[in-house]
PDB file of all heavy atoms in Angstrom:
ATOM      1  N   HIS G   5       1.507  10.837   1.764  1.00  0.00           N
ATOM      2  CA  HIS G   5       1.625  11.956   2.661  1.00  0.00           C
ATOM      3  C   HIS G   5       1.946  11.507   4.084  1.00  0.00           C
ATOM      4  O   HIS G   5       1.516  12.132   5.052  1.00  0.00           O
ATOM      5  CB  HIS G   5       0.464  12.814   2.738  1.00  0.00           C
ATOM      6  CG  HIS G   5       0.123  13.386   1.370  1.00  0.00           C
ATOM      7  ND1 HIS G   5       0.992  14.197   0.738  1.00  0.00           N
ATOM      8  CD2 HIS G   5      -0.936  13.079   0.448  1.00  0.00           C
ATOM      9  CE1 HIS G   5       0.453  14.470  -0.661  1.00  0.00           C
ATOM     10  NE2 HIS G   5      -0.721  13.791  -0.616  1.00  0.00           N
ATOM     11  N   THR G  27      -6.581 -12.209   1.786  1.00  0.00           N
ATOM     12  CA  THR G  27      -5.991 -13.555   1.602  1.00  0.00           C
ATOM     13  C   THR G  27      -6.998 -14.505   2.198  1.00  0.00           C
ATOM     14  O   THR G  27      -7.319 -14.289   3.345  1.00  0.00           O
ATOM     15  CB  THR G  27      -4.592 -13.770   2.338  1.00  0.00           C
ATOM     16  OG1 THR G  27      -4.106 -12.405   2.806  1.00  0.00           O
ATOM     17  CG2 THR G  27      -3.592 -14.390   1.430  1.00  0.00           C
ATOM     18  N   ALA G  67      -8.902 -32.798 -15.413  1.00  0.00           N
ATOM     19  CA  ALA G  67      -9.753 -33.145 -16.420  1.00  0.00           C
ATOM     20  C   ALA G  67     -10.685 -32.030 -16.842  1.00  0.00           C
ATOM     21  O   ALA G  67     -10.219 -30.998 -16.913  1.00  0.00           O
ATOM     22  CB  ALA G  67     -10.693 -34.365 -15.953  1.00  0.00           C
ATOM     23  N   ASN G  83     -16.747 -11.532 -27.261  1.00  0.00           N
ATOM     24  CA  ASN G  83     -18.132 -10.923 -27.417  1.00  0.00           C
ATOM     25  C   ASN G  83     -19.129 -12.190 -27.643  1.00  0.00           C
ATOM     26  O   ASN G  83     -18.960 -12.936 -28.614  1.00  0.00           O
ATOM     27  CB  ASN G  83     -18.121 -10.146 -28.552  1.00  0.00           C
ATOM     28  CG  ASN G  83     -19.484  -9.333 -28.895  1.00  0.00           C
ATOM     29  OD1 ASN G  83     -20.551  -9.983 -28.508  1.00  0.00           O
ATOM     30  ND2 ASN G  83     -19.368  -8.255 -29.173  1.00  0.00           N
ATOM     31  N   PHE G 123     -19.834 -26.255 -21.869  1.00  0.00           N
ATOM     32  CA  PHE G 123     -20.183 -26.352 -20.324  1.00  0.00           C
ATOM     33  C   PHE G 123     -21.053 -27.493 -20.063  1.00  0.00           C
ATOM     34  O   PHE G 123     -20.829 -28.282 -19.189  1.00  0.00           O
ATOM     35  CB  PHE G 123     -20.484 -25.116 -19.821  1.00  0.00           C
ATOM     36  CG  PHE G 123     -19.835 -24.939 -18.401  1.00  0.00           C
ATOM     37  CD1 PHE G 123     -18.633 -24.336 -18.333  1.00  0.00           C
ATOM     38  CD2 PHE G 123     -20.571 -25.240 -17.185  1.00  0.00           C
ATOM     39  CE1 PHE G 123     -18.138 -24.121 -16.960  1.00  0.00           C
ATOM     40  CE2 PHE G 123     -20.055 -25.125 -15.992  1.00  0.00           C
ATOM     41  CZ  PHE G 123     -18.840 -24.504 -15.835  1.00  0.00           C
ATOM     42  N   TYR G 137     -10.482 -18.733 -31.114  1.00  0.00           N
ATOM     43  CA  TYR G 137     -11.189 -17.509 -31.345  1.00  0.00           C
ATOM     44  C   TYR G 137     -10.527 -16.495 -30.322  1.00  0.00           C
ATOM     45  O   TYR G 137     -10.393 -15.330 -30.767  1.00  0.00           O
ATOM     46  CB  TYR G 137     -12.725 -17.682 -30.976  1.00  0.00           C
ATOM     47  CG  TYR G 137     -13.339 -16.450 -30.521  1.00  0.00           C
ATOM     48  CD1 TYR G 137     -13.714 -15.464 -31.559  1.00  0.00           C
ATOM     49  CD2 TYR G 137     -13.693 -16.132 -29.246  1.00  0.00           C
ATOM     50  CE1 TYR G 137     -14.419 -14.219 -31.210  1.00  0.00           C
ATOM     51  CE2 TYR G 137     -14.397 -14.946 -28.827  1.00  0.00           C
ATOM     52  CZ  TYR G 137     -14.654 -14.015 -29.813  1.00  0.00           C
ATOM     53  OH  TYR G 137     -15.279 -12.809 -29.419  1.00  0.00           O
ATOM     54  N   MET G 149      -4.333 -19.018 -20.032  1.00  0.00           N
ATOM     55  CA  MET G 149      -4.965 -19.651 -18.922  1.00  0.00           C
ATOM     56  C   MET G 149      -4.020 -19.729 -17.712  1.00  0.00           C
ATOM     57  O   MET G 149      -4.470 -19.283 -16.645  1.00  0.00           O
ATOM     58  CB  MET G 149      -5.424 -21.086 -19.325  1.00  0.00           C
ATOM     59  CG  MET G 149      -6.398 -21.201 -20.464  1.00  0.00           C
ATOM     60  SD  MET G 149      -6.587 -22.844 -21.028  1.00  0.00           S
ATOM     61  CE  MET G 149      -7.461 -23.637 -19.661  1.00  0.00           C
ATOM     62  N   THR G 177      -4.657 -27.693  -8.365  1.00  0.00           N
ATOM     63  CA  THR G 177      -4.936 -28.157  -7.127  1.00  0.00           C
ATOM     64  C   THR G 177      -6.372 -27.805  -6.699  1.00  0.00           C
ATOM     65  O   THR G 177      -6.902 -26.955  -7.363  1.00  0.00           O
ATOM     66  CB  THR G 177      -3.951 -27.503  -6.042  1.00  0.00           C
ATOM     67  OG1 THR G 177      -4.295 -25.997  -5.967  1.00  0.00           O
ATOM     68  CG2 THR G 177      -2.547 -27.551  -6.408  1.00  0.00           C
ATOM     69  N   THR G 202     -31.246 -27.345 -19.535  1.00  0.00           N
ATOM     70  CA  THR G 202     -31.143 -27.835 -21.012  1.00  0.00           C
ATOM     71  C   THR G 202     -31.031 -26.658 -21.916  1.00  0.00           C
ATOM     72  O   THR G 202     -31.418 -25.420 -21.606  1.00  0.00           O
ATOM     73  CB  THR G 202     -32.360 -28.559 -21.409  1.00  0.00           C
ATOM     74  OG1 THR G 202     -33.587 -27.674 -21.319  1.00  0.00           O
ATOM     75  CG2 THR G 202     -32.629 -29.792 -20.617  1.00  0.00           C
ATOM     76  N   PRO G 207     -29.715 -24.875 -35.875  1.00  0.00           N
ATOM     77  CA  PRO G 207     -29.011 -25.309 -36.991  1.00  0.00           C
ATOM     78  C   PRO G 207     -28.008 -24.325 -37.451  1.00  0.00           C
ATOM     79  O   PRO G 207     -28.138 -23.086 -37.267  1.00  0.00           O
ATOM     80  CB  PRO G 207     -30.113 -25.457 -38.051  1.00  0.00           C
ATOM     81  CG  PRO G 207     -31.343 -25.738 -37.278  1.00  0.00           C
ATOM     82  CD  PRO G 207     -31.220 -24.839 -36.007  1.00  0.00           C
ATOM     83  N   ILE G 346      -7.028  -1.593  14.081  1.00  0.00           N
ATOM     84  CA  ILE G 346      -6.887  -0.603  13.012  1.00  0.00           C
ATOM     85  C   ILE G 346      -5.341  -0.436  12.790  1.00  0.00           C
ATOM     86  O   ILE G 346      -4.482  -0.532  13.729  1.00  0.00           O
ATOM     87  CB  ILE G 346      -7.571   0.773  13.369  1.00  0.00           C
ATOM     88  CG1 ILE G 346      -7.508   1.634  12.119  1.00  0.00           C
ATOM     89  CG2 ILE G 346      -6.657   1.393  14.566  1.00  0.00           C
ATOM     90  CD1 ILE G 346      -8.369   2.958  12.403  1.00  0.00           C
ATOM     91  N   ASP G 357      -6.600  13.757  -0.138  1.00  0.00           N
ATOM     92  CA  ASP G 357      -7.742  13.733  -1.115  1.00  0.00           C
ATOM     93  C   ASP G 357      -8.873  12.939  -0.653  1.00  0.00           C
ATOM     94  O   ASP G 357      -8.636  11.904   0.147  1.00  0.00           O
ATOM     95  CB  ASP G 357      -7.236  13.203  -2.535  1.00  0.00           C
ATOM     96  CG  ASP G 357      -6.219  13.998  -3.106  1.00  0.00           C
ATOM     97  OD1 ASP G 357      -6.192  15.186  -3.102  1.00  0.00           O
ATOM     98  OD2 ASP G 357      -5.273  13.520  -3.671  1.00  0.00           O
ATOM     99  N   THR G 402     -10.243  17.387  18.749  1.00  0.00           N
ATOM    100  CA  THR G 402      -8.991  17.286  18.136  1.00  0.00           C
ATOM    101  C   THR G 402      -8.003  16.599  19.031  1.00  0.00           C
ATOM    102  O   THR G 402      -8.189  16.500  20.355  1.00  0.00           O
ATOM    103  CB  THR G 402      -8.382  18.666  17.893  1.00  0.00           C
ATOM    104  OG1 THR G 402      -8.349  19.411  19.053  1.00  0.00           O
ATOM    105  CG2 THR G 402      -9.259  19.453  16.825  1.00  0.00           C
ATOM    106  N   PHE G 428       0.832   8.403  54.070  1.00  0.00           N
ATOM    107  CA  PHE G 428       0.971   6.992  54.526  1.00  0.00           C
ATOM    108  C   PHE G 428       2.269   6.956  55.308  1.00  0.00           C
ATOM    109  O   PHE G 428       2.383   6.362  56.449  1.00  0.00           O
ATOM    110  CB  PHE G 428       0.981   5.943  53.382  1.00  0.00           C
ATOM    111  CG  PHE G 428       1.164   4.604  53.839  1.00  0.00           C
ATOM    112  CD1 PHE G 428       0.105   3.892  54.579  1.00  0.00           C
ATOM    113  CD2 PHE G 428       2.397   3.953  53.586  1.00  0.00           C
ATOM    114  CE1 PHE G 428       0.310   2.735  55.053  1.00  0.00           C
ATOM    115  CE2 PHE G 428       2.465   2.580  54.061  1.00  0.00           C
ATOM    116  CZ  PHE G 428       1.473   1.929  54.779  1.00  0.00           C
ATOM    117  N   SER G 438       4.553   7.223  68.599  1.00  0.00           N
ATOM    118  CA  SER G 438       3.568   7.002  69.643  1.00  0.00           C
ATOM    119  C   SER G 438       4.046   5.791  70.373  1.00  0.00           C
ATOM    120  O   SER G 438       3.863   5.822  71.725  1.00  0.00           O
ATOM    121  CB  SER G 438       2.262   6.908  69.044  1.00  0.00           C
ATOM    122  OG  SER G 438       1.794   8.040  68.481  1.00  0.00           O
TER     123      SER G 438
END
Side-chain angles (χ1 to χ4, degrees):
H5 302 295
T27 346
N83 184 325
F123 219 85
Y137 157 75
M149 295 170 74
T177 68
T202 60
I346 194 169
D357 297 325
T402 63
F428 181 69
S438 298

